[in-house]
Amino acid sequence: MNPDHRKAFVRAVEAMHADYNEPIRMLRRPFKSPGYHTTIRSAEFVHPIRETLDYALALLDGEFAAYRQRSWDILANIVSLQDQDPASPTFGIWPWFYEEPIERMAPPDWNWADFCGKRLLFAAIRHGSAFPSDLSEAVRRAVLNSCEAIRRRNVGPEYTNIAIMGALVTLVAGEHYAVPGFAEYGLKRLERFYEYTRERGTFNEYNSPTYSLVAIEELSGLAAYAQNPSARRWTEELLDMAWRMVAVHFHPLLKQWSGPHGRAYDTLLTDAKLSFLQLACGGDVELAASERFVFEPPWFGLNISCPKPYRGWFRAYDGVREIRQLVNRGSDGSQDRWAVMHMEERFSLGTFTQNIMWNQCRNMLAYFGVGPEACAYARLRVLHDGYDFCSAVFRSEQREGHVLFGIQFATDGGGRHPALDPTQGRIAASDLRVRLEIGGITEGMEAYAEGAQAGLRGENLHLAVRTLAAAWDGRRGFEWELAQEDGRIYLDFVFYSGPAATIDLRTVTEAGAIFAFAISERAPVFDADVEEKDGFIRAHWRIPGRAPASLRIRMRPDEHHRLLLDPTSFI
């Protein structure tokens, strides 16, 4: 670790000291929740298991002698919070928080066997020789319990970060503790993931700024600690694929990670993500100013490194770049999901051809501006009472900086979460709207909403969205609305807003819309034909200087797979 990285690492560890609760032997942090797994709805502070393990491992990695006993105390405490009953359905996992035992979670998060087991394993590998004998045995037992929980659950290769992390924990723990059964399981699991990913050419969480870096982190852990030659070879190939995907989507002038994003939690890149990329590129690229560079403790000891052939994409803009990649293959080709990204000097625009509108999905995402300090984003959302609605289904056709897209509704989808919150086709709602959210720096651009069209106007850049056709239970003639709040611009198309009502998507006869979106140097031209026939909306957009785009969507809500049966393109 070079001196600058060491300083950043020490700063990160020192910032944790103030959060340490000595009597409980855990970190105390403000409560936050994605809205599932935990039953805690409001709390000012909680004591999180995973972050506390990060703190204990960082104290050991940094060789802070004054805090060695503290790190041991934390590890012993965390081990005691694991479910260690082999007959229990949650054997080998931990709760999220000290305040909420596993049995109160709804449901428990089995990923915590992977997350917590990995951290304990790294502590044992790097520092176990100095552990007191009772702690050494307790950590060994907890890690092996995690391995058994991982093996029982047996996650498939489609769940990228957990597929890799579970392979890491079981393979490396099996090698470290000389338990052949776990080592063999971990190797087979890694091989299955390698074959699955090689066939598809990408991770299931396509181009995710969160999970791509998590995958790189986990693969780097395998590269650092796995001894099996086959595992090391597969890991090297997977790392190369991952880094190429990251690099080709990075806009070096705006310093943003172009969409679309299969899963994301932030829209503008954080200092931590920029620092991760800078760290991986060695001294070749500067993405985070020295005062904003961070070194997160979990990166310690992993030798995170971007292959040198890809580092140039982080450093300099090299002209127009476009990618079209198959992400998921349908059974007959009609449900294939593609990702499209177009990058120019002033902007990038990315879309999926189809996806649900989960809050972690960035299905249509643009970045634009003149540099990293004057950069903005435009993100499409569908909101049910202010929160992203998983039963809304997005479909699109993209032509460079132009997107023809539709919104449909599924009767078998989720509410806030695609799997943990099924709606059964019925929702209670006082508001349902499509939102183009614009954040970041938009100085010098004018926001507007004028009837069927809304957008931003600037001297050298225009961004606009126009309604081509829309219906909601017999209604027509919708207009866009403009609002500004908390530094963001909201361009809203409102399907419904009024008294709280029960909406049964199974009985609604019309619910859908087709829109045209453009980002370009000139004011866009929306020359389109629209037809409503046989329960479908069809739109054909003649885009000046580019191939036309066509789209057809169902007017009536239906089961998700039927919404995707008809070919997206009708050129």
Side-chain angles (χ1 to χ4, degrees):
M1 182 182 293
N2 71 36
D4 290 338
H5 295 167
R6 172 71 186 183
K7 289 178 183 177
F9 174 79
V10 170
R11 284 199 304 269
V13 177
E14 289 178 342
M16 298 185 206
H17 291 331
D19 294 333
Y20 185 64
N21 186 331
E22 186 77 43
I24 295 181
R25 293 178 291 169
M26 294 184 68
L27 292 184
R28 180 174 177 265
R29 290 285 174 82
F31 172 71
K32 60 180 180 179
S33 163
Y36 42 86
H37 283 308
T38 180
T39 58
I40 299 174
R41 291 294 172 258
S42 63
E44 188 174 1
F45 293 98
V46 290
H47 295 81
I49 305 290
R50 181 177 59 176
E51 288 82 349
T52 300
L53 274 174
D54 283 336
Y55 178 52
L57 184 55
L59 293 177
L60 294 168
D61 287 337
E63 299 180 346
F64 302 105
Y67 292 98
R68 187 169 68 166
Q69 185 61 51
R70 176 180 290 187
S71 67
W72 292 348
D73 290 344
I74 292 172
L75 293 179
N77 184 41
I78 297 298
V79 165
S80 73
L81 298 175
Q82 183 188 44
D83 182 345
Q84 299 194 357
D85 178 5
S88 169
T90 55
F91 173 62
I93 74 171
W94 284 262
W96 278 4
F97 310 118
Y98 174 82
E99 288 76 9
E100 183 179 39
I102 293 175
E103 58 269 19
R104 282 170 43 194
M105 297 181 70
D109 190 350
W110 275 264
N111 291 347
W112 253 232
D114 309 72
F115 281 108
C116 300
K118 182 189 75 169
R119 286 158 171 80
L120 289 171
L121 176 61
F122 285 177
I125 290 173
R126 297 173 190 165
H127 312 287
S129 61
F131 285 178
S133 59
D134 57 341
L135 178 62
S136 181
E137 174 55 26
V139 168
R140 184 192 70 85
R141 184 172 63 251
V143 170
L144 296 181
N145 290 345
S146 297
C147 290
E148 181 57 29
I150 291 166
R151 182 163 63 178
R152 288 183 184 182
R153 187 185 181 200
N154 197 30
V155 163
E158 66 281 354
Y159 195 166
T160 304
N161 65 310
I162 298 301
I164 304 170
M165 200 183 309
L168 186 161
V169 174
T170 50
L171 171 59
V172 175
E175 292 177 339
H176 180 72
Y177 288 119
V179 183
F182 287 142
E184 291 165 6
Y185 170 80
L187 184 65
K188 289 178 181 177
R189 179 168 170 145
L190 180 60
E191 182 179 21
R192 187 166 70 249
F193 176 78
Y194 166 76
E195 294 293 348
Y196 173 86
T197 306
R198 186 177 66 167
E199 179 181 348
R200 299 175 69 254
T202 185
F203 296 141
N204 216 40
E205 299 82 8
Y206 177 79
N207 191 42
S208 166
T210 299
Y211 290 100
S212 297
L213 298 190
V214 170
I216 288 170
E217 189 177 322
E218 305 311 327
L219 290 167
S220 297
L222 276 163
Y225 298 116
Q227 301 301 311
N228 184 278
S230 295
R232 298 181 69 84
R233 176 173 56 83
W234 299 331
T235 297
E236 183 179 347
E237 290 185 34
L238 289 166
L239 278 168
D240 188 87
M241 184 205 75
W243 275 115
R244 189 182 192 284
M245 180 180 68
V246 177
V248 76
H249 283 88
F250 191 80
H251 197 302
L253 299 182
L254 301 178
K255 293 186 179 179
Q256 294 298 332
W257 188 322
S258 301
H261 301 155
R263 291 181 70 183
Y265 296 95
D266 304 295
T267 304
L268 293 170
L269 280 182
T270 62
D271 288 341
K273 288 184 174 64
L274 288 168
S275 298
F276 184 100
L277 299 175
Q278 179 171 315
L279 172 71
C281 290
D284 294 347
V285 180
E286 183 178 334
L287 302 176
S290 58
E291 67 275 10
R292 297 175 61 180
F293 181 84
V294 298
F295 189 104
E296 295 197 345
W299 306 342
F300 186 95
L302 299 183
N303 190 30
I304 295 166
S305 179
C306 174
K308 289 186 177 181
Y310 305 142
R311 295 182 184 183
W313 281 332
F314 293 102
R315 187 168 47 245
Y317 176 72
D318 60 357
V320 174
R321 192 182 306 165
E322 187 156 308
I323 300 165
R324 182 177 175 86
Q325 182 165 357
L326 180 64
V327 177
N328 295 108
R329 185 171 294 284
S331 58
D332 61 358
S334 67
Q335 298 184 48
D336 289 354
R337 180 157 65 106
W338 291 79
V340 183
M341 189 278 290
H342 179 79
M343 181 187 297
E344 297 187 16
E345 186 173 7
R346 292 286 304 277
F347 72 88
S348 70
L349 174 63
T351 58
F352 288 117
T353 54
Q354 54 164 286
N355 209 8
I356 61 171
M357 295 298 295
W358 187 20
N359 72 330
Q360 293 187 28
C361 299
R362 304 292 187 267
N363 296 323
M364 188 175 86
L365 178 63
Y367 292 102
F368 55 97
V370 295
E373 305 304 322
C375 176
Y377 70 85
R379 170 193 173 193
L380 185 73
R381 308 174 73 179
V382 177
L383 303 178
H384 162 213
D385 290 347
Y387 197 90
D388 301 86
F389 188 37
C390 289
S391 288
V393 178
F394 173 87
R395 298 183 68 177
S396 77
E397 280 290 316
Q398 179 175 342
R399 301 288 185 268
E400 298 182 3
H402 302 71
V403 182
L404 183 63
F405 70 93
I407 299 295
Q408 306 173 100
F409 293 93
T411 58
D412 59 345
R416 291 190 167 205
H417 189 280
L420 301 179
D421 180 26
T423 67
Q424 310 299 333
R426 291 166 59 91
I427 59 171
S430 57
D431 193 90
L432 185 65
R433 64 183 60 209
V434 178
R435 168 170 289 174
L436 190 64
E437 175 185 300
I438 300 169
I441 307 301
T442 57
E443 187 176 348
M445 301 188 77
E446 173 197 7
Y448 68 93
E450 299 169 352
Q453 185 168 318
L456 293 178
R457 300 186 184 102
E459 183 177 352
N460 299 309
L461 196 68
H462 293 259
L463 178 152
V465 59
R466 185 174 183 85
T467 308
L468 300 183
W472 180 264
D473 209 17
R475 289 177 54 223
R476 300 289 195 280
F478 302 84
E479 294 189 350
W480 284 87
E481 300 177 359
L482 169 65
Q484 300 191 45
E485 184 179 338
D486 299 329
R488 295 187 180 93
I489 297 168
Y490 297 142
L491 305 177
D492 288 351
F493 173 94
V494 182
F495 278 115
Y496 175 78
S497 184
T502 297
I503 298 173
D504 191 337
L505 293 171
R506 299 166 299 181
T507 61
V508 172
T509 57
E510 295 179 320
I514 292 182
F515 307 90
F517 172 86
I519 180 169
S520 62
E521 294 181 358
R522 301 180 182 85
V525 177
F526 296 108
D527 178 14
D529 298 323
V530 179
E531 178 187 25
E532 295 185 25
K533 184 178 180 181
D534 301 328
F536 291 88
I537 305 175
R538 295 175 173 87
H540 183 80
W541 182 14
R542 289 173 291 274
I543 305 171
R546 295 163 181 84
S550 296
L551 187 72
R552 179 169 76 165
I553 67 169
R554 290 178 182 265
M555 291 282 287
R556 185 167 187 161
D558 207 333
E559 293 183 3
H560 183 267
H561 74 280
R562 289 198 185 96
L563 297 179
L564 305 176
L565 282 176
D566 301 281
T568 299
S569 178
F570 291 84
I571 295 174

